[in-house]
Amino acid sequence: MTKNSRVEYGKSVPKVLRTMSFLWATYSYPPSSGGEVRAAAPALSVKGFKEQDQRRRVDIKTSTEQLIQSHKEPICMDFESKSGNCDELKDFLRRKIRKSGNFEVDSRPELVYTFIEQAVQPGAQVALKCSAVGEPPPRFRWSLDGQPIPSHHGAIISEGRESGPSGLGGSNNYILSTLSLNGARVEHGGRYECRATNAHGSVGHAARLNVYGPPYIRAMNPVKAVAGSEISIWCPYYGFPIDSVKWEGGVGTDARYQQIDGRLTIVNVDKNRDKGGWTCSVMTPGGELARREVQINVVSPPVLSPIVFPPGLRSGDRSQLTCTVTSGDMPVYFSWLKDQMPISSVLQVDERGAEFYSMLLFKSLTAAHSGIYTCVVTNTAGKANASAELAIKVPPYWQIEPSDAAVLLNGSLTVSCDARGHPSPAIYWTKFSGSAETALGAVSDPVVLSNGSLRLDSARAEHSGKYRCRADNGVAPPLSKTLNIHVNEPARFETQSANVTAKLGDTVRLVCVARGDSPLAIAWSHSGRPLPNSDYRMSISETRSAEGLRSELVVERADRRDSGVYRCQASNPYGRSDHFVHLGVQEPPEPPTNFRVLDSTSRSIRLQWRRPYDGNSPVLGYMLQYRRHDSSSPDVWRDAETHNVSVSSPAIDSYADSESATISGLEPATPYLVRARTVTAQFASAHTRAILALTLHEPPSRPPISLRASAPKPSTIELAWQAPPQSSWNGELLGYTVWWWASADGSLASGVNVGMEFSTVRGKVTKYIIEGLEHYTRYSVSVRAFNSAGAGPATTPVNTLTKESVPSEGPRAVRCRAVSPQSLKVEWSPPPAHAHHGALLGYKLLYRPEHTADWLEWEVRGGGSTSALTGAEIKRVAGVETLLLALRPYMNYTIQALAYTAAGDGVPALPIHCTTQQDGPPAAVKVAATSITSLAVSWLPPNRPNGPILYYTVFYRELGRDRPPQTTTVQAEEGEIIVGLGGYTELRSLSEGATYEAWVAAHSAAGEGEPSAPQPATTTSRAAVRVLSFGVWARVQCGHPLRLACAWRGDPAPRARWLRADRPLTHDPRAHLTPLGHLSIHDVDASTSGNYTCSARNTYGSEEVTYRIECTAPPAPPTLSLEHADHKEAKIIWRTSHHPSSPPYGFTISWVRVREDNTESEQSRLEMEERRIETGGETTGIVLRALACGATYSVRAVAHSRAGTSPPSGPLLRTKR
């Protein structure tokens, strides 16, 4: 396969060549100037991509790294054979990766979206779209029936970049082209093709656009066909619908002719039978016909005879190569290539030729003429080529000529021997042994490498000698070169080191023996100083023997300064080597140095010291002596304890210069004296100075004794105990730890300390008070003594029950419902058991009527009963349900339930609200004669109606007649309440001088209420004055307005006026008269309270009604005080003053913790939220529970009565202890 062949990725081709073609096609790598790769880069056909997966992508980085790393050797060898430098290739690839950024491989275009065949009516809007991807981005060209679209055609072509589908390359490479027709005409029909093209190829798509209309065929240019090939011609027709498209021409019926959808295909074109005119005919279903002829011209490509070089050509011979055209259209044109490149003029090859042949002339062949020569012939029909290889035989010549070499003993050596020629010469090596030669090869020693070099991996003395390298390729003369290899032995020692010991004052002899080629010299040194020096005790002597050069160093009267490392260094021209002698002069060791206490425990002492001078004898160990330090006893060591420390051989890589040991079995909190000495096999050192060591404390070994507990208060336990025996302290006692936990049986289940609390008592105090405990709860208490080492064992738990207290939570699920106008049923569930804090004796219900801000009440003067509402009431109940009786009809009641024990009332539950049912007739009715045939009826509304009054029904009948009563309906007045009058009406067309009785019933959403008692009256012509409104006693919250009714009847019409305290009420800025005669008081207060009279008079008499007005103010702010406070609770009491007619029916107590720093944790935020509780009106104090110890709280209170809510009290600040 040649380099200009097309390589299909993934086909069966050599891997290296496939990868190289991929690189050439992708990167257009520029070959070096001296290479042969000058032809155009081979094309890359990645067919597998489109056929298998259009969205497939190539990762350029991975492919390149596999090229550079996994296939390095084959690719580099192949590339170097073509271009000469593989490193340039790798550098080029890395640069391409850095520049490409998105790591996308250059590729030929691929179509992503195409249009389909369609048929449209004239005037329709048409848009044909094609999209493609490729690198570099492709460009589109459009054609119609194989011809460029003319400018007058009317088509608009647009092109732009779009975001490509996932996996189809970068978004910048997705190109969309659109051909648009604003109004389709019949001549716009035809076969449209879009073709995407970039530097690596092109791809196209075609489909028909059919526009309804008559048939027509566009003009066709003559067609050129190559003999022996295949040709296809489309009929360029338009119009729709089309029934048939036919081609006629050639020799008529022939199997080589194929017609499909208007396309004519001729297989194996024949010049004699197929040239000439061919006619396309198009017919519609209606019989309309269109015809057009096209000319086919058939041409023949050139045919060449084989070309060949004479065999056996050698350097200097002459030769020629002839290329002849045997057939084909004339004229023909010749060109020659050598190795796919134009023939260089440097080769001095002449070309000669005539009409149908061309000849190359070689006057003197050289090795440079070797290669593949190709003759390329072209004519108008096509191109043909033929190739022949020229191989020149060249005798061997040196590329690298071998020469003499030298190597050190045990070293490595490579001797190159490289020759060139044609054919390539073979390399042979031999070694001389006297007059004989021994052949060397791939398994000999030395070994011959594949490239012809001779290799010594470990040179020995026997490798020295004479060698010959010979190159031969069968072309005389062969090459031969003789050379010498020398193996040199450097100075060396058989052993690297030795150890020598001597006693103090002895004579020491140190010896070393060196080997190596002459000249050989030896030098001694000690601690870096050359020997012998000025010390007269040292001398050196040398002797030569078969073993080598022997040197002896003599040291007389050795002492400590002579100890150390001595170096014996041998050297010659080929190297040097060292032999080390370690001399140790032995003497008594020194005591341990830096002897100290490293750390201690209650029962042991850990000691540390630096290793002393060992006297050049191995240290066997150390002897430690220790005893109690008692100032009363003499400083003697006769009875001291001994602790021996053995020393093992130190590790080679150990650089520690210290030793340590631990003395165990000591007493806690006890002082000891300790000393040490060094021990060798022959000597023992003096003792170190004694040091003082103190053992640490241990936790006490016994618990406190005689633990007693009592509970004087509900949340308090008082404890007392005695200290454990002093012998068990194990140090000085620092205090005690008190533990307590809630436990029914005095123990913790499974030993888990969940719920346990503790407190620390420091010093010698043996009492403690536990505060803030749960009331009426059994606690277990235990005490532990502690010192600086920790806490000792705990006492056996003591069980104590705290005193009974009030419940800390109210009843659960309090609910109520109305049973009758004067009763409510209330039910609840007990508080949770953990909140009882004692034995529950029962429950209390606090209930009171609820009033609105516009509270107003009244009573009929002289009625004998009062409508004044009482405050809160309390009912004691043993069970969990009860009936509240004697209530007011249609009244909203606030109800709170609480549980109580022998210790008092608990926390009340949240208030609930219930309303009693309706009841009651109108409070009063008046009936008065207004004329001889009419009566006036007025009434007061019910004291407590069952909801808003919708209307009233007035019943009336004549006395003495057995007839059912007649009725009339009166709508209730809406808007502002008028005191003293609920409504009135006039009954007309009555009998003259007859007596009637009338009564009234009220109606609400719940139905008709109870009727009033009947009131009689007689019609008369003398209608005396009657005031229809009613005098009442009214109470209202101070500051609210009030309107008093004044309505009258009489004949003649009476004159009315208002009096206050028997004085006419004329101009008063605090009140005014309405157009209907009512009195409106703007703001009721103490100054406007009192009696008001409505008086009416006419000729027949007068009548008046009087109102009593009272103003009731809200209670005064409560005055708070703290009765007592303990660990987690505080009792608050208060006093208040109020109006006698509106006592407080309840209090609201609120408290909040005062923040004393800038911390803002979630816990502190929750604790600083305001909390509140409501109590009944009879309550004068309350206990605040679950307070934080040591915190400051702000407490406020407000009182509630039917006259309103008091202002809040001043804050009571209290800091908990």
Side-chain angles (χ1 to χ4, degrees):
M1 180 181 293
T2 59
K3 291 189 290 295
N4 65 340
S5 300
R6 293 181 62 82
V7 179
E8 296 188 2
Y9 192 83
K11 300 299 183 179
S12 298
V13 295
K15 188 171 185 179
V16 173
L17 182 56
R18 182 167 69 248
T19 307
M20 293 303 298
S21 299
F22 170 79
L23 292 170
W24 291 331
T26 305
Y27 303 113
S28 300
Y29 179 76
S32 60
S33 59
E36 299 175 350
V37 190
R38 293 187 176 274
L44 175 65
S45 174
V46 194
K47 292 184 177 179
F49 283 9
K50 183 175 181 181
E51 296 170 359
Q52 298 175 13
D53 187 355
Q54 282 191 345
R55 296 184 300 175
R56 195 173 185 186
R57 301 177 65 187
V58 178
D59 189 337
I60 184 173
K61 184 175 181 180
T62 302
S63 300
T64 306
E65 290 301 326
Q66 290 175 352
L67 167 69
I68 296 174
Q69 299 175 7
S70 301
H71 311 297
K72 177 178 178 181
E73 286 300 326
I75 293 179
C76 282
M77 290 175 62
D78 184 80
F79 185 80
E80 287 181 350
S81 68
K82 299 175 174 63
S83 183
N85 193 332
C86 187
D87 291 336
E88 292 182 5
L89 168 64
K90 291 186 288 185
D91 292 341
F92 173 75
L93 294 178
R94 294 190 182 98
R95 290 196 301 272
K96 289 294 288 184
I97 291 176
R98 289 195 295 268
K99 290 181 179 179
S100 61
N102 59 3
F103 299 109
E104 290 187 353
V105 177
D106 291 358
S107 61
R108 63 187 303 166
E110 293 186 31
L111 292 175
V112 178
Y113 174 82
T114 55
F115 60 94
I116 62 174
E117 181 175 346
Q118 52 188 301
V120 299
Q121 295 289 344
Q125 302 289 327
V126 178
L128 307 180
K129 296 183 179 182
C130 284
S131 61
V133 294
E135 183 64 29
R139 298 297 301 272
F140 276 95
R141 296 188 65 182
W142 289 82
S143 62
L144 173 59
D145 288 327
Q147 299 296 323
I149 298 176
S151 58
H152 59 76
H153 182 265
I156 301 174
I157 299 175
S158 61
E159 183 174 308
R161 297 176 183 267
E162 296 288 339
S163 297
S166 176
L168 290 178
S171 60
N172 292 337
N173 297 349
Y174 180 70
I175 306 301
L176 174 66
S177 181
T178 304
L179 185 147
S180 303
L181 297 171
N182 292 329
R185 302 191 300 273
V186 63
E187 58 268 25
H188 287 152
R191 182 173 176 271
Y192 285 85
E193 180 185 42
C194 64
R195 179 162 295 276
T197 305
N198 68 4
H200 301 290
S202 66
V203 62
H205 167 76
R208 288 195 60 82
L209 172 64
N210 298 311
V211 183
Y212 282 86
Y216 186 80
I217 300 176
R218 295 183 174 88
M220 293 178 281
N221 296 325
V223 177
K224 183 176 70 173
V226 178
S229 64
E230 180 181 302
I231 187 173
S232 293
I233 305 174
W234 287 89
C235 183
Y237 69 92
Y238 58 80
F240 193 78
I242 300 298
D243 185 57
S244 65
V245 181
K246 295 181 180 180
W247 282 93
E248 297 174 347
V251 295
T253 302
D254 193 323
R256 298 179 299 110
Y257 302 156
Q258 301 174 7
Q259 297 189 43
I260 301 176
D261 297 333
R263 181 177 67 177
L264 170 64
T265 301
I266 304 176
V267 181
N268 193 13
V269 175
D270 185 276
K271 184 173 185 178
N272 296 325
R273 294 188 293 174
D274 301 331
K275 69 178 180 178
W278 285 76
T279 302
C280 175
S281 301
V282 179
M283 181 175 292
T284 66
E288 295 181 87
L289 178 66
R291 297 169 60 88
R292 180 77 70 176
E293 182 181 82
V294 63
Q295 290 291 326
I296 296 180
N297 300 321
V298 180
V299 295
S300 298
V303 178
L304 306 182
S305 61
I307 62 175
V308 64
F309 282 99
L313 294 176
R314 298 167 57 105
S315 179
D317 291 350
R318 293 184 294 274
S319 183
Q320 67 178 27
L321 185 62
T322 303
C323 179
T324 304
V325 179
T326 58
S327 64
D329 293 345
M330 300 297 286
V332 294
Y333 303 95
F334 291 89
S335 62
W336 288 89
L337 300 174
K338 177 181 180 293
D339 296 328
Q340 304 303 321
M341 299 290 290
I343 299 174
S344 174
S345 60
V346 177
L347 298 178
Q348 296 182 354
V349 178
D350 294 336
E351 179 184 359
R352 297 179 184 178
E355 186 178 4
F356 55 87
Y357 74 91
S358 178
M359 178 187 304
L360 293 182
L361 299 178
F362 301 87
K363 296 179 180 180
S364 178
L365 294 174
T366 64
H369 289 108
S370 296
I372 297 175
Y373 290 82
T374 302
C375 175
V376 181
V377 181
T378 59
N379 67 1
T380 57
K383 179 172 63 175
N385 60 67
S387 299
E389 184 176 5
L390 174 59
I392 307 299
K393 292 185 177 182
V394 179
Y397 59 93
W398 290 119
Q399 182 75 15
I400 300 177
E401 184 177 1
S403 59
D404 292 343
V407 62
L408 293 178
L409 185 68
N410 298 321
S412 61
L413 174 66
T414 300
V415 181
S416 298
C417 181
D418 189 10
R420 294 289 189 267
H422 191 79
S424 295
I427 304 298
Y428 305 94
W429 280 89
T430 59
K431 183 178 185 298
F432 290 90
S433 299
S435 59
E437 283 188 67
T438 303
L440 304 177
V443 295
S444 62
D445 187 17
V447 66
V448 179
L449 303 180
S450 59
N451 63 357
S453 299
L454 185 67
R455 174 70 177 176
L456 282 173
D457 289 325
S458 179
R460 302 189 300 275
E462 57 266 26
H463 288 146
S464 295
K466 183 183 295 184
Y467 292 81
R468 173 181 291 173
C469 177
R470 186 169 59 89
D472 191 356
N473 65 349
V475 181
L479 289 177
S480 179
K481 177 65 181 292
T482 301
L483 64 147
N484 291 307
I485 295 178
H486 302 277
V487 178
N488 299 316
E489 183 178 8
R492 61 186 179 88
F493 292 98
E494 295 293 339
T495 60
Q496 297 299 317
S497 63
N499 294 323
V500 177
T501 60
K503 292 184 178 180
L504 184 67
D506 288 352
T507 298
V508 182
R509 298 179 182 276
L510 308 181
V511 178
C512 65
V513 179
R515 298 175 61 90
D517 290 347
S518 297
L520 185 61
I522 294 179
W524 286 87
S525 62
H526 177 223
S527 300
R529 296 188 299 274
L531 298 178
N533 50 22
S534 58
D535 193 342
Y536 65 92
R537 297 179 300 113
M538 295 186 181
S539 61
I540 299 174
S541 61
E542 292 182 353
T543 58
R544 186 175 296 274
S545 65
E547 297 179 353
L549 181 61
R550 183 178 186 275
S551 180
E552 182 180 60
L553 172 63
V554 178
V555 181
E556 297 178 353
R557 296 186 300 279
D559 56 23
R560 178 187 298 188
R561 60 184 177 176
D562 296 325
S563 298
V565 178
Y566 290 80
R567 183 174 70 173
C568 174
Q569 186 178 75
S571 60
N572 65 3
Y574 311 112
R576 62 180 59 188
S577 180
D578 292 331
H579 176 79
F580 297 95
V581 180
H582 299 266
L583 173 62
V585 179
Q586 297 177 342
E587 58 182 309
E590 294 179 352
T593 60
N594 196 24
F595 186 58
R596 63 192 181 94
V597 177
L598 189 61
D599 57 40
S600 61
T601 67
S602 60
R603 301 285 179 171
S604 65
I605 300 172
R606 188 180 178 196
L607 304 167
Q608 187 185 58
W609 59 91
R610 292 178 63 88
R611 293 174 183 169
Y613 173 66
D614 57 7
N616 289 319
S617 296
V619 175
L620 300 182
Y622 302 88
M623 180 184 294
L624 305 179
Q625 284 185 306
Y626 61 96
R627 66 178 179 84
R628 287 176 179 266
H629 178 58
D630 190 353
S631 59
S632 62
S633 63
D635 187 11
V636 295
W637 292 88
R638 181 175 55 189
D639 299 328
E641 300 288 338
T642 301
H643 180 79
N644 293 320
V645 180
S646 299
V647 177
S648 59
S649 299
I652 296 176
D653 57 350
S654 175
Y655 298 97
D657 61 350
S658 63
E659 296 283 356
S660 62
T662 300
I663 301 176
S664 304
L666 306 180
E667 297 294 329
T670 303
Y672 287 89
L673 290 176
V674 188
R675 66 180 184 176
R677 67 191 301 186
T678 308
V679 179
T680 66
Q682 300 171 343
F683 308 100
S685 71
H687 285 96
T688 63
R689 182 178 56 86
I691 61 173
L692 178 65
L694 179 65
T695 55
L696 300 181
H697 292 184
E698 273 188 0
S701 56
R702 295 185 60 183
I705 58 178
S706 302
L707 175 62
R708 302 176 302 279
S710 62
K713 296 181 180 179
S715 61
T716 301
I717 294 178
E718 293 184 357
L719 302 177
W721 63 88
Q722 294 180 8
Q726 187 171 2
S727 60
S728 65
W729 288 7
N730 294 333
E732 182 182 357
L733 288 185
L734 300 180
Y736 301 87
T737 303
V738 180
W739 293 83
W740 65 92
W741 63 93
S743 175
D745 57 358
S747 63
L748 283 177
S750 303
V752 181
N753 62 352
V754 177
M756 294 185 70
E757 297 183 68
F758 73 93
S759 182
T760 301
V761 181
R762 298 192 176 274
K764 297 181 180 181
V765 179
T766 57
K767 295 181 179 181
Y768 185 71
I769 298 177
I770 306 174
E771 297 181 324
L773 302 178
E774 296 293 335
H775 302 175
Y776 201 62
T777 302
R778 183 172 299 279
Y779 282 89
S780 296
V781 185
S782 181
V783 180
R784 303 171 67 182
F786 68 90
N787 57 21
S788 61
T795 62
T796 302
V798 174
N799 299 328
T800 302
L801 181 68
T802 55
K803 279 194 172 182
E804 191 173 15
S805 180
V806 299
S808 59
E809 295 187 24
R812 301 286 183 90
V814 183
R815 53 202 180 277
C816 64
R817 59 184 176 88
V819 178
S820 70
Q822 293 183 314
S823 62
L824 295 173
K825 184 174 183 180
V826 185
E827 299 172 293
W828 61 91
S829 298
H834 66 81
H836 288 184
H837 302 313
L840 295 184
L841 301 181
Y843 301 90
K844 292 183 180 180
L845 263 68
L846 292 80
Y847 58 99
R848 60 180 178 272
E850 192 69 49
H851 299 277
T852 60
D854 56 353
W855 164 73
L856 168 68
E857 66 176 17
W858 51 267
E859 63 178 85
V860 180
R861 296 176 61 84
S865 63
T866 178
S867 62
L869 298 178
T870 61
E873 297 186 44
I874 300 176
K875 183 176 183 180
R876 298 176 183 267
V877 182
V880 292
E881 65 178 13
T882 188
L883 285 175
L884 301 180
L885 305 175
L887 305 179
R888 296 300 304 269
Y890 192 65
M891 172 65 70
N892 190 28
Y893 280 86
T894 298
I895 303 171
Q896 280 186 290
L898 60 85
Y900 65 93
T901 64
D905 295 345
V907 176
L910 294 176
I912 61 172
H913 306 278
C914 281
T915 303
T916 55
Q917 296 178 354
Q918 69 169 349
D919 195 13
V925 176
K926 287 183 179 181
V927 182
T930 58
S931 70
I932 193 64
T933 59
S934 62
L935 296 174
V937 181
S938 64
W939 58 88
L940 281 173
N943 287 332
R944 297 305 299 173
N946 186 15
I949 301 299
L950 302 178
Y951 61 91
Y952 295 90
T953 300
V954 179
F955 301 86
Y956 63 96
R957 64 185 175 187
E958 186 178 351
L959 293 178
R961 293 192 177 188
D962 189 12
R963 292 181 180 178
Q966 296 177 276
T967 62
T968 182
T969 300
V970 178
Q971 297 294 324
E973 294 290 338
E974 296 182 359
E976 184 179 359
I977 297 176
I978 302 178
V979 178
L981 183 62
Y984 67 90
T985 187
E986 193 165 350
L987 307 178
R988 303 181 185 277
S989 302
L990 304 180
S991 299
E992 295 182 3
T995 301
Y996 287 82
E997 62 178 358
W999 63 96
V1000 182
H1003 293 259
S1004 68
E1008 181 178 322
E1010 182 181 348
S1012 66
Q1015 297 291 329
T1018 304
T1019 58
T1020 178
S1021 59
R1022 293 186 59 185
V1025 175
R1026 291 299 304 273
V1027 177
L1028 300 182
S1029 52
F1030 300 82
V1032 299
W1033 193 335
R1035 297 182 184 88
V1036 67
Q1037 183 176 344
C1038 293
H1040 281 246
L1042 188 67
R1043 179 171 292 188
L1044 305 179
C1046 186
W1048 61 88
R1049 286 290 185 275
D1051 188 16
R1055 184 173 63 87
R1057 64 174 181 169
W1058 280 93
L1059 304 174
R1060 181 183 181 192
D1062 299 331
R1063 293 182 179 181
L1065 187 65
T1066 56
H1067 300 289
D1068 191 337
R1070 296 168 297 179
H1072 73 278
L1073 294 178
T1074 69
L1076 298 178
H1078 305 317
L1079 178 63
S1080 179
I1081 303 174
H1082 301 157
D1083 188 359
V1084 179
D1085 55 17
S1087 64
T1088 56
S1089 298
N1091 293 334
Y1092 290 83
T1093 302
C1094 170
S1095 174
R1097 176 186 300 273
N1098 70 357
T1099 306
Y1100 301 108
S1102 64
E1103 189 176 23
E1104 63 183 24
V1105 295
T1106 300
Y1107 295 89
R1108 174 66 178 173
I1109 306 302
E1110 289 185 0
C1111 165
T1112 302
T1119 301
L1120 299 180
S1121 61
L1122 178 68
E1123 184 174 84
H1124 76 272
D1126 58 16
H1127 186 58
K1128 290 186 177 180
E1129 61 185 33
K1131 184 173 182 181
I1132 307 297
I1133 59 175
W1134 59 82
R1135 302 188 312 276
T1136 185
S1137 60
H1138 56 82
H1139 194 279
S1141 64
S1142 57
Y1145 60 77
F1147 295 91
T1148 298
I1149 312 300
S1150 61
W1151 67 98
V1152 64
R1153 181 176 175 179
V1154 179
R1155 190 171 68 184
E1156 300 173 352
D1157 52 28
N1158 294 326
T1159 59
E1160 189 63 25
S1161 65
E1162 180 68 16
Q1163 181 65 25
S1164 64
R1165 187 183 65 80
L1166 293 176
E1167 291 179 355
M1168 293 176 185
E1169 291 182 355
E1170 185 180 69
R1171 289 181 284 177
R1172 63 179 58 201
I1173 190 171
E1174 296 186 2
T1175 66
E1178 76 289 348
T1179 308
T1180 59
I1182 193 170
V1183 178
L1184 305 182
R1185 307 183 190 279
L1187 304 179
C1189 183
T1192 301
Y1193 287 85
S1194 174
V1195 186
R1196 296 177 183 268
V1198 294
H1200 306 281
S1201 75
R1202 60 184 177 176
T1205 299
S1206 73
S1209 67
L1212 173 65
L1213 296 178
R1214 178 64 183 178
T1215 301
K1216 291 287 297 152
R1217 294 188 296 273

